[in-house]
Amino acid sequence: YMLMKMAEGNCKIIFLETICNDPNIIERNVRLKIQQSPDYADQPDYETGVRDFKERLANYEKVYEPVQEGSYIKMIDMVKGQGGQLQVNNISGYLPGRIVFFLVNSHLTPRPILLTRHGESLHNVRGRVGGDTVLSEDGELYSKKLANFIEKRLKSEKTASIWTSTLQRTILTASPIVGFPKIQWRALDEINSGVCDGMTYEEIKKVMPEEFESRKKDKLRYRYPRGESYLDVIQRLEPVIIELERQRAPVVVISHQAVLRALYAYFADRPLREVPDIEMPLHTIIEIQMGVTGVEEKRYKLMD
Ligand code: F6P
């Protein structure tokens, strides 16, 4: 009631309740909690920690009141995958509808998402933006190292998939990888640099100084003439993000600098304004671990 009072006239409140009835998952979560929570950092005996936390849970249960009125979404046993369901009450409007859509498509099954740029391309060597060139020698070497890495990393996985853009440099980077299905997404293509496609930054500065300056001033919103802005890229990534949330098996995403900045920012919870300047080096894999523990990240630099 306190929350409802605070929101009155300002915003809508939707209660989100997650319910888990599976004793195995509860057990697993309790164990993760003991391993990771600062509350138990000083508790040397693991089993004592578990007992303590179970007591804590029992106390919560005594005072627990289910949400029964107003706008709410209940996620019931959604972690397991099959058999889970979403109960929705008194939800209307565009944004609440999008939230429901997002939630029915998301889950907490742990799985990794591996992000990498394509191997170095001929345009990268020459400092040219956009285009659709093939890989340089170093780029080809990376594609082999990446295949090796993926083979080891995903050895014990039953299924996984490799997503690329429709541009040659990502498809070629994926080509040495065997044993997993490959999917080409147009939404993973690099930012469309419109009239500047194929130019170097120096050339853009010389030939179109106003464009160069406008981009420098507001890289996030700046739209290349007949091309895209970072905001455009972010918007077209929505279906990719929903599909990544939905997947239960590992996914390797081989894409491009601007697109990966946007995807990474989503998973790493980085603010919108930072997106165009996030570092996204070549020949490096960013592994994002999705699931109950929140998002954890590892980086593998395969070449100097
Ligand atoms: O230079 C490689 C590249 O992927 C270009 O194709 C693209 O235009 C650029 O990076 C995006 O980075 P920025 O937004 O910093 O120009």
Side-chain angles (χ1 to χ4, degrees), residues 117 124 129-130 169 190-191 201 215 219 230 257-258 261:
R117 288 176 68 186
N124 287 148
V129 302
R169 51 194 187 277
E190 181 54 310
I191 187 169
Y201 294 108
R215 186 160 204 255
K219 200 174 166 188
Y230 268 88
Q257 175 153 260
R261 281 175 174 151

Side-chain angles (χ1 to χ4, degrees), residues 47-93:
E47 290 307 325
T48 313
V50 173
R51 241 177 292 129
D52 179 82
F53 191 76
K54 287 190 174 164
E55 260 172 50
R56 198 199 283 192
L57 274 183
N59 283 327
Y60 286 153
E61 270 170 27
K62 273 188 229 153
V63 291
Y64 169 79
E65 284 176 46
V67 183
Q68 270 158 337
E69 52 188 287
S71 299
Y72 66 76
I73 303 167
K74 293 189 189 209
M75 299 174 76
I76 304 169
D77 290 325
M78 294 276 285
V79 185
K80 273 188 289 192
Q82 260 81 54
Q85 60 157 312
L86 211 69
Q87 270 176 17
V88 172
N89 189 60
N90 193 18
I91 295 283
S92 64

